Amino acid sequence: MLGSGFLVYNRLLKTIGTEGLSRLASRMEAVDLPAGHQLVAAGKPISHLCFIETGLASTVVHDDGGKSIETVMVGREGITGWPVLLGAETTPDETIMGVGGRGFLIPAAEIRREMEEDARLRALLLGYINVCLLQVGQLVLANGQYSLRERLARRLLMCHDRLDTDDLPITHEFLSTVLGVRRPGITNELHVLEGIHAIHPGRGNIRIINRSILEDVANMTYGVPEKEYERLMARMQTHVAAPSLFSV
């Protein structure tokens, strides 16, 4: 249980407003979320949701042959475990921390109860779920119609949106997992992006040098969910300040 006066960075929590946040605070638990920490296990009951404060979580789809791909990325703009808010008890997908950070856990039963009593909270969280579904749709479009270079640029922009630094602590191996391609392909495309002065890749780190170049490379694979998220925030705006996360 959290006491009064605690600070939050999660934009959903900021947008709930003081009264709504105070009600949730008594039910939330602050937790450390190291890289690799599993927030949602495939096929297991979703007992808690997590408002991400810092770091990055990835929802990853696996098949029986060992192949995998990321479908949804969550940072301080969102919440993990949201299938339970749509009536699901489990999901075949896994959600893990790709970049370590912190968050607030809340029991699924508690937040469902709050959503039944608070129409504003319900509208906010359902609006966020819509943004996540748009992410999935854009991923399908990108995978079917765009090159690996464009998809990689999209992914780096999404990471940059959610981290307070130009230095992204992500590895080639993790990028190959979430993008569903072999590592040599990732390494080659990172070198290309370095050659056009968009990024500087290092060991376990990718520095964003010129975001505008990345946006040009990403083309139309990037921007639709981000714009919809900002529209949601504008609709739900309260007197609580919520600094912009996305640059679109």
Side-chain angles (χ1 to χ4, degrees):
M1 185 175 72
L2 302 175
S4 61
F6 67 97
L7 296 176
V8 298
Y9 296 96
N10 183 279
R11 287 193 68 188
L12 296 179
L13 291 178
K14 283 177 173 287
T15 306
I16 289 170
T18 303
E19 183 178 343
L21 184 56
S22 296
R23 288 198 306 272
L24 291 182
S26 64
R27 299 166 171 84
M28 294 194 305
E29 174 189 2
V31 292
D32 290 325
L33 302 171
H37 178 78
Q38 188 181 64
L39 287 163
V40 177
K44 299 292 181 65
I46 304 172
S47 61
H48 289 73
L49 291 86
C50 186
F51 290 96
I52 302 296
E53 284 279 283
T54 61
L56 295 175
S58 292
T59 296
V60 181
V61 177
H62 303 276
D63 69 11
D64 293 337
K67 295 180 180 179
S68 61
I69 193 168
E70 178 186 68
T71 56
V72 176
M73 182 194 300
V74 183
R76 61 181 178 181
E77 88 294 349
I79 188 172
T80 66
W82 51 261
V84 76
L85 303 182
L86 299 178
E89 294 183 357
T90 65
T91 174
D93 304 337
E94 176 188 36
T95 301
I96 59 173
M97 292 299 293
V99 175
R102 305 185 310 277
F104 294 117
L105 285 180
I106 184 168
E110 296 288 350
I111 198 162
R112 284 198 301 259
R113 186 176 300 114
E114 282 294 322
M115 286 177 68
E116 290 176 0
E117 299 176 358
D118 187 339
R120 181 182 180 79
L121 176 64
R122 182 168 63 252
L124 175 65
L125 294 181
L126 291 180
Y128 173 69
I129 291 172
N130 178 58
V131 172
C132 290
L133 296 177
L134 287 175
Q135 265 198 57
V136 177
Q138 290 297 300
L139 172 68
V140 173
L141 177 63
N143 286 350
Q145 301 295 330
Y146 292 86
S147 69
L148 174 57
R149 188 173 307 162
E150 291 165 319
R151 290 160 51 204
L152 176 59
R154 169 184 180 265
R155 216 278 174 179
L156 294 176
L157 287 167
M158 292 171 68
C159 290
H160 194 224
D161 287 337
R162 293 162 170 82
L163 297 172
D164 290 316
T165 175
D166 289 334
D167 288 302
L168 311 179
I170 51 180
T171 65
H172 296 200
E173 186 66 33
F174 186 71
L175 285 171
S176 72
T177 297
V178 297
L179 289 172
V181 298
R182 296 177 64 242
R183 179 173 174 173
I186 293 293
T187 300
N188 181 67
E189 294 302 338
L190 287 173
H191 286 324
V192 171
L193 294 178
E194 181 181 23
I196 60 175
H197 308 294
I199 65 168
H200 178 70
R203 186 174 180 85
N205 181 83
I206 297 173
R207 173 171 290 182
I208 304 298
I209 301 299
N210 191 317
R211 183 183 169 97
S212 294
I213 294 177
L214 269 186
E215 290 175 345
D216 288 341
V217 173
N219 200 351
M220 297 177 68
T221 66
Y222 173 81
V224 173
E226 290 76 14
K227 290 176 182 176
E228 182 59 30
Y229 185 89
E230 291 303 334
R231 281 192 285 268
L232 172 65
M233 291 294 101
R235 291 197 304 270
M236 304 302 300
Q237 190 65 48
T238 69
H239 295 298
V240 180
S244 180
L245 168 61
F246 296 118
S247 297
V248 294

